[in-house]
Amino acid sequence: MKALALQEWCQQGGRQFTRFDYTGHGQSSGEFVQGTIGVWMQDTMDILEHVTQGPQVLVGASMGGWLALLVAMRAAKRVAGVVGVGAAPDFVLRISASLTQEQRSELEARGHFRRPSAYSPNQPHLITQKLLDEGPQHALLGAVGGQVEVRCPVRLLHGLQDPDVSWQVAVQLAECLATDDLQVQLLKAG
């Protein structure tokens, strides 16, 4: 829904708009169980390099916000700005830290478990051991020196009622980013 509204806004203003599904998500190819933050970051880098032209504003919700920031660090000349909507950097670390014994056992036996989500109550999120093992390599919130080397403008929008990612994550992320052109907007009803 958010992506379609943004697409319509861009089209009405004559702006370029590119939207895609990460490997194993939506209508993309690949198996979700093979996906990791690194794989999905590379998807984003490939789209940026091979599909778009000129500087881009990257917009990402939840995990997409994390990926947009990772790409902004690696392709600074191509990224004019980042908009994070309920950005969820380092969510794999928070999941790992909150695993129940039952979830740990399921990870060990099957290599994955399903985690309920307020966004999709009928379709729990699949969390794989591979995702949990690889994700910390891309952590932002515990950046060495306390600075995440993103220097483009960044706008973080976060709902105070977000059931999956606390608004405090947006504030913590803002404290870590190197850019001086940063705004955090907290939405009371969101």
Side-chain angles (χ1 to χ4, degrees):
M1 190 69 132
K2 291 177 253 184
L4 294 176
L6 183 58
Q7 181 176 357
E8 183 179 325
W9 180 80
C10 287
Q11 288 171 340
Q12 289 174 352
R15 295 171 187 87
Q16 178 184 347
F17 180 85
T18 304
R19 177 173 57 121
F20 67 97
D21 290 324
Y22 303 112
T23 299
H25 286 80
Q27 296 180 16
S28 70
S29 62
E31 295 292 323
F32 180 85
V33 295
Q34 298 304 315
T36 63
I37 299 303
V39 166
W40 298 322
M41 179 183 60
Q42 189 58 54
D43 288 347
T44 309
M45 293 289 292
D46 290 345
I47 293 292
L48 186 65
E49 183 178 331
H50 300 293
V51 176
T52 68
Q53 296 177 357
Q56 301 293 305
V57 174
L58 305 182
V59 179
S62 192
M63 179 182 77
W66 184 8
L67 294 168
L69 290 164
L70 291 171
V71 169
M73 291 170 59
R74 289 160 177 79
K77 291 183 180 180
R78 290 293 317 280
V79 179
V82 173
V83 177
V85 181
D90 304 2
F91 75 88
V92 295
L93 283 87
R94 291 186 294 282
I95 290 173
S96 291
S98 67
L99 290 174
T100 65
Q101 187 54 52
E102 181 181 340
Q103 291 166 333
R104 289 179 198 282
S105 297
E106 198 167 342
L107 274 172
E108 191 173 313
R110 295 177 152 182
H112 68 271
F113 73 96
R114 295 202 176 271
R115 180 176 188 247
S117 168
Y119 291 116
S120 53
N122 297 330
Q123 190 176 19
H125 292 162
L126 182 68
I127 306 296
T128 66
Q129 185 68 57
K130 186 174 184 173
L131 176 66
L132 296 178
D133 289 345
E134 191 265 359
Q137 296 174 36
H138 307 287
L140 297 179
L141 299 179
V144 175
Q147 277 207 331
V148 175
E149 287 298 318
V150 173
R151 302 239 175 233
C152 64
V154 175
R155 303 297 180 261
L156 301 173
L157 311 172
H158 212 107
L160 293 174
Q161 307 303 316
D162 188 323
D164 285 334
V165 183
S166 169
W167 61 269
Q168 286 98 340
V169 172
V171 174
Q172 186 180 6
L173 179 58
E175 292 173 343
C176 294
L177 294 173
T179 184
D180 290 327
D181 191 350
L182 169 71
Q183 293 179 18
V184 177
Q185 185 173 6
L186 300 176
L187 308 169
K188 188 172 186 176

